[in-house]
Amino acid sequence: MSLYYVQKFLFELNRDPRVQEAYRSDRTASLADYELTTEEVEALTQPDIGLLYHLGVNGQILMHFAAFHQIEWQDYLQRMRDGIATYGPVREGVYATTGYEGTEAHAASLGQSEGER
Amino acid sequence: MPLVYAGVCSHAPGITGRKDRADPEARDALYCAFDQMREDIVASGAEALVVIAAEHFANFFMNNMPSFAVGMADFYDGPIEDAGWLGIETFRAPGNRDLSRRLITEVMQTVDVAYAEEWKFDHGIAVPLHFLTPEFDLPVIPVNVNCQGPPLAPLPRAWAFGEALRRAADSVPEKVALVGTGGISHWPATPDSGKINEPWDRDFLDRWCANDKDRLLDYDDLTVYADAGQGGFEIRTFIAISAAANGAKGTVHFYTPIPIFAVGCTIASYKL
Ligand SMILES: [Fe+2]
């Protein structure tokens, strides 16, 4: 697992038009310089937003990757929720710190109902 | 000259990028509060706007992450995000390299900071500037506190950084305005986006207005994360402003949770 390099790629993609061009012309080849597992390469090339969130990618990086793929905002949020439902809780990184249990349980723990959002 | 302005405001890409989806009344009231903040800064006679932000992996990444960084360039480009997505056109904001250098030199007497001669503004700075200097005619000095990639500087260090910035601002002949921008509670860009812990925010703002150092520093990151989300880590920028205000008391001019903006939108300032 190499969350650091997944995020490093996304950081560089967000910043650098040359990386964007490389990714557009050959997604898999554009990842060659990063230490990634097969699962991570698949998540980045499909792209599988829900899996990337599950792997621990920070939303502040992930939302730009979603925008790059023209994924609409509500759709982006739903894909992350689906990712948690499909793959389980976030594995690593800042969101894994408190054993996060999903949006509904989280809202309840703050004394809120989902409707309040 | 002594610091001429110290305040805080929210930033979030939705404030400009998703403005058409917000409750129009709340949105317009927020925009109005931003306008008032701009007028207050102009009235202060500020010759430079120092923005203490918490950028989101636009320039600083875990390969080389500074706790504190200050820009030292004559111009800054932005936004790094897609202009259409953010709702802010491509811009070049003026800087002041010479002033930056003098401020950094003074800050370094007590706090180790990184400096950056190149900096692309993300929404964390671009959104405040869009309202506070829409013509980009006021020199900007960007400051960053790492609030994104833990380990993060402990809150007492954010306080010490704010004190150092105040000392530095007071030491230069220019009139400097200081604006912090950050959360309070929010879960930006996550499945919980739109969740806002209003009681937590209001309690934090009480501490902020009272400028009660002990209570402002009485948080730990695990509890902040649980109660206020990752976005809550950005209280470091607000706390730095409190320290820079040097005991002054504050007023909240605007606070309203606007879920589609993913944050309890806040405008507040200290009476220096
Ligand atoms: Fe932020």
Side-chain angles (χ1 to χ4, degrees):
Chain A
M1 204 152 52
S2 36
L3 176 61
Y4 173 78
Y5 288 103
V6 175
Q7 298 197 103
K8 179 83 186 290
F9 170 74
L10 293 174
F11 163 71
E12 292 185 336
L13 183 80
N14 287 341
R15 276 180 65 82
D16 191 341
R18 284 167 300 186
V19 180
Q20 292 165 12
E21 197 45 56
Y23 179 82
R24 277 198 189 94
S25 61
D26 186 338
R27 293 182 184 183
T28 305
S30 72
L31 299 170
D33 291 342
Y34 300 84
E35 300 288 329
L36 300 168
T37 65
T38 310
E39 182 186 41
E40 290 162 346
V41 170
E42 280 172 11
L44 288 167
T45 50
Q46 283 190 5
D48 187 337
I49 299 294
L51 179 54
L52 290 167
Y53 184 72
H54 162 77
L55 292 174
V57 174
N58 194 297
Q60 298 288 357
I61 295 178
L62 191 55
M63 71 174 171
H64 300 306
F65 188 55
F68 179 83
H69 283 288
Q70 311 290 323
I71 296 166
E72 191 275 330
W73 182 251
Q74 295 298 343
D75 185 18
Y76 162 65
L77 300 180
Q78 190 56 45
R79 287 184 193 216
M80 288 188 290
R81 291 178 191 129
D82 293 347
I84 296 301
T86 306
Y87 303 110
V90 175
R91 263 192 227 171
E92 199 187 340
V94 71
Y95 305 129
T97 37
T98 56
Y100 184 60
E101 67 291 6
T103 52
E104 281 173 35
H106 189 209
S109 76
L110 293 171
Q112 301 177 345
S113 70
E114 276 292 277
E116 288 179 59
R117 298 191 299 109
Chain B
M1 298 278 286
L3 186 71
V4 296
Y5 182 89
V8 290
C9 66
S10 301
H11 65 254
I15 290 175
T16 46
R18 297 190 290 276
K19 61 176 183 283
D20 296 337
R21 302 194 207 173
D23 167 31
E25 210 174 308
R27 175 199 63 208
D28 293 348
L30 169 65
Y31 285 10
C32 220
F34 263 122
D35 287 344
Q36 184 60 52
M37 188 178 198
R38 178 181 66 249
E39 285 170 19
D40 291 346
I41 291 169
V42 170
S44 77
E47 296 163 283
L49 179 61
V50 175
V51 182
I52 307 181
E55 72 129 43
H56 318 80
F57 308 113
N59 302 272
F60 306 110
F61 188 69
M62 280 73 82
N63 59 346
N64 195 2
M65 180 65 86
S67 286
F68 305 108
V70 181
M72 194 169 76
D74 278 325
F75 64 86
Y76 305 94
D77 291 333
I80 196 165
E81 295 93 344
D82 180 78
W85 180 86
L86 185 58
I88 295 178
E89 287 306 312
T90 302
F91 62 83
R92 173 164 285 189
N96 182 336
R97 188 174 187 282
D98 176 66
L99 175 59
S100 282
R101 189 185 185 91
R102 285 179 280 126
L103 292 172
I104 292 164
T105 302
E106 180 57 38
V107 167
M108 279 179 167
Q109 298 299 320
T110 52
V111 177
D112 299 321
V113 290
Y115 64 85
E117 296 201 44
E118 196 182 333
W119 192 313
K120 293 181 185 175
F121 288 172
D122 77 353
H123 68 268
I125 290 182
V127 169
L129 293 188
H130 172 76
F131 294 100
L132 300 181
T133 172
E135 305 299 324
F136 295 101
D137 49 7
L138 182 62
V140 175
I141 295 178
V143 173
N144 195 65
V145 181
N146 172 27
C147 299
Q148 309 297 344
L152 310 175
L155 299 184
R157 300 305 299 155
W159 184 275
F161 183 50
E163 287 181 327
L165 280 169
R166 173 61 186 267
R167 200 182 62 246
D170 289 354
S171 76
V172 296
E174 291 90 346
K175 291 181 179 170
V176 173
L178 202 50
V179 168
T181 175
I184 319 172
S185 71
H186 63 310
W187 285 258
T190 72
D192 285 301
S193 177
K195 192 191 298 289
I196 293 153
N197 190 343
E198 181 171 347
W200 196 91
D201 284 358
R202 291 197 182 276
D203 176 62
F204 176 83
L205 288 171
D206 281 347
R207 302 179 196 206
W208 192 87
C209 286
N211 205 342
D212 184 335
K213 179 180 177 183
D214 290 343
R215 290 176 66 227
L216 279 168
L217 302 186
D218 188 23
Y219 291 97
D220 69 87
D221 283 346
L222 267 183
T223 317
V224 168
Y225 182 80
D227 294 341
Q230 195 206 343
F233 294 158
E234 294 181 346
I235 58 173
R236 283 167 175 76
T237 63
F238 281 38
I239 287 172
I241 296 294
S242 300
N246 195 20
K249 305 298 179 209
T251 304
V252 175
H253 305 293
F254 185 85
Y255 175 83
T256 301
I258 304 180
I260 191 66
F261 294 168
V263 70
C265 295
T266 309
I267 306 275
S269 68
Y270 282 114
K271 188 164 177 55
L272 296 176

